[in-house]
Amino acid sequence: MNHELYVAGASATSIVVRGQFTPGLFAPAWFRAAALIGDTGDVIRSITNTAADFSVADIDIYVTADTLQMSTKSPEEGQRLRDLAIGTLRELPGTPIAALGINRVIHASVTDLGAMHRIGDTLAPKGPWGEVLHSPGVRSIETWGVRDDGWKGRVGVTVEPSAHIRPGVYIGVNDHFALELETDLDPDRDFAFLGQDEDPEATTEKRLTALGILSMGWDETMDRADRVHARIMEFVS
């Protein structure tokens, strides 16, 4: 990836697991007892039976009854984030899991508003709006792609003006895994919209699938996000 294509601003990486969790179980002490973290600085915002919200070092952890989310805004902590998620799931052998999401977002600075509009005008041409909207501009674009790696799920990309860098653009890539093998050998884009189970069953077997994807597919997922970011920023020029 050519990092000279844009000036990177705020960025974040997150792992989101849908399943059945016990929020009150999760606390820095639990992670230390499992040898998943060392004596790092902790920030506990709230730990109750319904939600746990705290940080260990540069990793934020948020748990509810149906969601385990780990995230970091530090580019250097991506690998550690993945390792912590793997270790956590290994410590939860009887936990039913439904889906896995790996997310990369970036807020990229651009030289001026014209550069930002070139991205929007390329992704969403304004011709169709000419007779119904005055001076239209993109507020948000979300595009889904069918997975091409044999797994059910999709890859979603969201592009919109950045709320943190002005002028700037927000680019979010969501790698969504339904944690089941795709049986359709040639799924088309209709499948991304109509063929997905938005409420997949949570099973203990899917935990092993999630572990395999995090272990073996992490680099591919990160590379895809980098390529998406770089491709969109090419539209600036």
Side-chain angles (χ1 to χ4, degrees):
M1 174 186 175
N2 182 1
H3 289 278
E4 295 180 355
L5 288 172
Y6 60 87
V7 178
S11 62
T13 305
S14 66
I15 297 171
V16 180
V17 183
R18 302 294 184 185
Q20 299 173 15
F21 303 100
T22 304
L25 168 71
F26 294 89
W30 181 84
F31 285 90
R32 289 196 180 88
L36 296 177
I37 62 172
D39 292 326
T40 58
D42 307 328
V43 177
I44 298 177
R45 287 173 286 275
S46 175
I47 298 178
T48 69
N49 290 331
T50 58
D53 184 7
F54 58 92
S55 300
V56 290
D58 289 327
I59 296 178
D60 299 321
I61 299 173
Y62 182 71
V63 190
T64 64
D66 61 5
T67 302
L68 166 63
Q69 177 174 307
M70 298 180 172
S71 61
T72 181
K73 293 184 176 70
S74 174
E76 297 80 17
E77 294 293 338
Q79 194 73 25
R80 186 179 177 191
L81 173 72
R82 184 206 73 155
D83 293 345
L84 182 60
I86 289 174
T88 301
L89 290 179
R90 284 176 176 165
E91 291 294 318
L92 301 170
T95 300
I97 299 300
L100 168 70
I102 302 174
N103 309 294
R104 286 281 305 282
V105 305
I106 192 167
H107 295 263
S109 62
V110 295
T111 55
D112 52 35
L113 289 176
M116 185 182 72
H117 288 314
R118 280 194 291 277
I119 295 174
D121 291 344
T122 302
L123 296 176
K126 302 308 179 292
W129 299 104
E131 296 183 2
V132 293
L133 289 179
H134 175 67
S135 190
V138 168
R139 179 60 188 89
S140 183
I141 298 174
E142 183 175 6
T143 305
W144 285 359
V146 177
R147 301 205 66 84
D148 60 359
D149 54 7
W151 295 108
K152 287 185 178 180
R154 58 177 173 261
V155 179
V157 178
T158 301
V159 182
E160 57 192 35
S162 171
H164 298 287
I165 299 176
R166 298 188 180 183
V169 60
Y170 165 95
I171 305 169
V173 182
N174 167 237
D175 236 310
H176 173 73
F177 297 87
L179 302 179
E180 296 178 2
L181 290 173
E182 177 53 66
T183 56
D184 189 333
L185 298 180
D186 188 26
D188 58 19
R189 65 181 181 177
D190 292 340
F191 181 81
F193 290 89
L194 303 177
Q196 299 290 320
D197 183 0
E198 296 302 325
D199 189 23
E201 180 185 6
T203 69
T204 55
E205 290 78 11
K206 288 183 179 180
R207 182 187 66 90
L208 296 177
T209 303
L211 282 170
I213 291 172
L214 288 170
S215 298
M216 305 301 295
W218 180 261
D219 290 343
E220 179 182 351
T221 297
M222 294 296 102
D223 179 68
R224 178 174 23 249
D226 285 344
R227 287 186 285 113
V228 168
H229 294 157
R231 177 70 177 123
I232 290 172
M233 294 309 295
E234 289 175 2
F235 302 143
V236 169
S237 59

